[in-house]
Amino acid sequence: MTEHLDLPSPDSRPIKPYVWAVALVAAVGGLVFGIDIGGSGGTFIMDPFRSFFGWDHESDEEIARQEGNINAFFTAGAAVGAIPSGPIADKIGRRPCIIFGSAVFSAGAFVQLFTPNLDVLYLGRAIGGAGVGLLSATVPVYISECAPQRARGSLSTLWQLA
């Protein structure tokens, strides 16, 4: 005769701290995207930035065009980076793809940090955007694959929340 054991159902067990840690660390990929996009607007009004790129001698229309280009190159880079992210992640794995995307983003940030002119800034924005594109497409998938079935949706939204 078998005894009936009162084991907790899989749906009632708490999510392990390790799973939370993995999801939170991976969600930093979303934070990078938000900080980069949100920070550019505040940078445009800083006097040292404006004088470095000669905006104190440019027309409002030219400044608006250059601001648009700075943002557009980042967004275009993100689109380009997101396109091959699936095959890259399938070939090298999700975690290595996240590390690679972070390295690409860091390289773009490095180029932007030491930019001598707008053309190099555009290049740095495109490179940084490509890294964010890789992260944007890979991080939510990685989180959902690490999470238990009952928590996949809620943990995957951490990327968007960040």
Side-chain angles (χ1 to χ4, degrees), residues 80-98:
V80 168
I83 291 169
S85 64
I88 291 171
D90 287 344
K91 183 173 179 105
I92 67 172
R94 308 279 185 256
R95 190 177 336 172
C97 187
I98 291 171

Side-chain angles (χ1 to χ4, degrees), residues 38-132:
S40 64
T43 305
F44 294 155
I45 62 170
M46 294 179 170
D47 289 335
F49 183 87
R50 296 178 74 78
S51 88
F52 182 82
F53 290 110
W55 286 2
D56 39 5
H57 304 304
E58 296 281 350
S59 68
D60 289 344
E61 292 81 18
E62 181 62 19
I63 292 169
R65 184 186 66 75
Q66 292 173 2
E67 287 177 351
N69 285 344
I70 290 168
N71 287 325
F73 273 91
F74 182 79
T75 304
V80 168
I83 291 169
S85 64
I88 291 171
D90 287 344
K91 183 173 179 105
I92 67 172
R94 308 279 185 256
R95 190 177 336 172
C97 187
I98 291 171
I99 292 167
F100 177 65
S102 299
V104 171
F105 174 79
S106 297
F110 186 80
V111 170
Q112 293 172 67
L113 179 64
F114 293 106
T115 185
N117 57 47
L118 271 173
D119 292 333
V120 176
L121 180 65
Y122 296 155
L123 175 66
R125 295 292 287 167
I127 293 169
V132 165

